[in-house]
Amino acid sequence: MGPGDTPETWPVHCYGTVGVGRDMPPDSGTGAELYAVIGDAPRQLDRNIAVVGRVISGMEWLSSLPRGKGDMGFYRKPEERTPILSVRLGSDVPGLPTWQYLSTASASFARYVDARANRRDPFYVRPAGGVDICNAPVPIRIKP
């Protein structure tokens, strides 16, 4: 990389990731079909399907929904589905908390990732020297 160049970055498919469903053409997603990763991270989808966010609260409600018996957990019959009856923008819900996140450009984040990659508590015999990206999520908290 030369001076002024920025590295290529993209969001990845980890637990809690929200993506846009699409058909075969890569630009066919409209946002009308969203999905959240509620199981193993399907990392083969990285850079193939648009990631638009991450569930930061309430993931336990999504992950507790029953999976379908079809391929990839899809429901075979409409009566198997658990319908989502309504959706609201957070800006339309009074009293929601405000969230803060740790900047990935900060020295604190670098120390956090190093600590995740090189555990030093007594259980670990030797540091791994690395960590899967899905095991070092950006820390968040409710704004005090």
Side-chain angles (χ1 to χ4, degrees):
M1 287 183 34
D5 289 343
T6 57
E8 182 180 349
T9 60
W10 60 90
V12 295
H13 283 81
C14 297
Y15 183 77
T17 295
V18 177
V20 177
R22 67 170 174 86
D23 205 341
M24 288 301 287
D27 62 353
S28 61
T30 65
E33 295 177 341
L34 300 176
Y35 63 89
V37 177
I38 59 174
D40 292 336
R43 297 293 313 283
Q44 74 276 10
L45 297 179
D46 295 352
R47 300 194 305 168
N48 285 296
I49 298 183
V51 169
V52 294
R54 172 179 145 207
V55 177
I56 59 173
S57 179
M59 197 57 205
E60 66 275 15
W61 302 110
L62 283 175
S63 63
S64 67
L65 292 173
R67 290 356 179 245
K69 304 280 191 247
D71 292 341
M72 296 176 46
F74 281 89
Y75 301 112
R76 291 186 186 140
K77 302 176 214 160
E79 58 270 14
E80 294 176 325
R81 298 179 185 147
T82 301
I84 296 174
L85 301 177
S86 69
V87 175
R88 295 184 290 168
L89 293 174
S91 57
D92 294 338
V93 180
L96 283 182
T98 301
W99 297 89
Q100 295 176 323
Y101 66 93
L102 182 59
S103 171
T104 57
S106 69
S108 295
F109 185 77
R111 287 191 302 274
Y112 160 74
V113 171
D114 179 67
R116 300 286 299 189
N118 298 292
R119 301 286 300 264
R120 293 171 181 89
D121 45 299
F123 177 82
Y124 292 90
V125 176
R126 67 178 55 94
V131 64
D132 183 279
I133 193 167
C134 292
N135 290 326
V138 175
I140 58 163
R141 69 179 181 192
I142 293 176
K143 186 176 179 179

